[in-house]
Structure formats: C-alpha cells, structure tokens
Amino acid sequence: MKSAPTEYLRPAAAEDVPALLALRTEAEEWLRTKGTDQWSDPETGEKAISKWRASIDEGRAWVVVDERDEVLATVSRGPVDRDFWRDADRPESALYLYKLIVAREASGRHLGTRVIDWMCRLAALEGRTWVRIDTWRTNTELHTYYERLGFRHVRTEAPAHRRSGWLAQRPVGKLVMPDDPLTVSLDEAARGGAATRSEVPAQRW
C-alpha cells in the first residue's frame, strides 16, 4: 500500500520569503563547494531576488512543504526569456521553469524530479509541448543532472550581459516518477490543518 504523502505543493506567499532566501543562500554556499561560480555575483543575486519577490506577488512561485509547513523546495514559472528563446522556437509551445531549489536536508527525496514532473503535467494541461529551462553556462554538473531527467540540450546562447544560457527542453509527456506525484494543497487557508489535497495542479493564473 502506498504511504500517505509527506510533502505538498502550494503557492508561495509573502511570509515564505525568509525561508526562500535561506534556500537561496544555502544553494549559493553549496554551489561554491562544487566549484561553480553560479549565483556568486552579488548584483546578479540581488536582481534575482527582486524577480523572485515579483513572482510571489504574481502567483508564479510555488513551494514544497512538509506536514509542518516547513519549506523544502521551491520552483517558479515565468515568461519566455527573449535573451535566449527565438520566434523559431515557438515560445508559446513551452512552459518556462525557473528557480528550482531543493533544501540540502531534503536531498535524496527526489523532490526536484517530482517538481519537474508536476511542471510537465501542468504544461500538458495548458496544451503545451515542452518544459524549458536555461541554466548557468559553466555549470556542467547541473547540465548533466537535467539531461538525466530527460531534458535535451537545444543550444547555448552567450549574451554579454548574462551568465545563463545553456538551453534545454523536455517533452511534457516524459514523466520520470509517474507513480509518485506531488500533491497540491488546494486550501491555503488550511495550512497546518485539514487542507484539501489534489494531484491536479491547482493554479491561480
């Protein structure tokens, strides 16, 4: 018998900002130990945090929480980045995934994999073909991670004002863990209580 889920997805809220910033800081420190300069530029980091706050305000940021409502991971969706994707890529055919971060304490629980599967389900419901990402050009270990999860490298763009630009996409029908979906909390007001749960991606946009 399948055990009850211990992690849930819900929309990020303003009160989650400290936990999200802590996730980001932890990720920065961990990346430094891996020998990559990703997110090491303070100006880039400040700009990214500002965009993150806007994503929360606009309902485009999500968090994975445990039964105590402690944040274990986050992901955002956003508009197509025109520094990277062209008209020939049919931008409207894809959902664009940003800021996927998993707490180190939750490592080994496959949260990144399950979040991406959820994004694929959402993209399919919207009639899209792809989930797309852009990542730091020099972080080859991260490239390998995404390729293991079914992403295929499209090309690498290198605009002078950006450090990201390794572009990849995954078909929405390619689920890595179809039998272990993340459950979505449909009732934000019921945090810590008996919230309504669903495997259908509940949306606010």
Side-chain angles (χ1 to χ4, degrees), residues 49-66:
I49 290 169
S50 176
K51 288 183 177 180
W52 207 352
R53 292 180 185 276
S55 294
I56 293 171
D57 292 343
E58 295 165 10
R60 295 187 285 106
W62 289 75
V63 289
V64 179
V65 298
D66 61 16

Side-chain angles (χ1 to χ4, degrees), residues 9 23 28-29 40 42 56 69 84 108-109 130 161 176 199:
L9 266 164
L23 272 185
E28 290 172 348
E29 294 172 352
S40 61
I56 293 171
D69 205 47
F84 303 134
R109 294 161 73 167
W130 309 100
H161 62 296
V176 178
E199 292 180 3

Side-chain angles (χ1 to χ4, degrees), residues 149-202:
L149 295 182
F151 284 85
R152 293 293 174 262
H153 181 224
V154 176
R155 64 180 176 273
T156 299
E157 299 282 356
H161 62 296
R162 301 290 296 275
R163 296 189 179 187
S164 192
W166 187 85
L167 310 182
Q169 62 188 16
R170 186 174 111 171
V172 298
K174 186 177 182 65
L175 302 180
V176 178
M177 299 182 69
D179 298 325
D180 194 12
L182 280 169
T183 303
V184 177
S185 173
L186 300 180
D187 185 359
E188 292 181 75
R191 293 183 193 177
T196 303
R197 310 292 185 183
S198 172
E199 292 180 3
V200 178

Side-chain angles (χ1 to χ4, degrees), residues 16-29:
D16 294 316
V17 169
L20 294 175
L21 297 182
L23 272 185
R24 165 88 186 210
T25 299
E26 181 186 57
E28 290 172 348
E29 294 172 352

Side-chain angles (χ1 to χ4, degrees), residues 2 5 29 34 43 78 115 124 135 138 143-145 176 178 183 195 198:
K2 185 176 178 181
E29 294 172 352
K34 306 298 285 184
E43 183 177 355
V115 165
T135 71
T138 58
H143 305 166
T144 300
Y145 168 78
V176 178
T183 303
S198 172

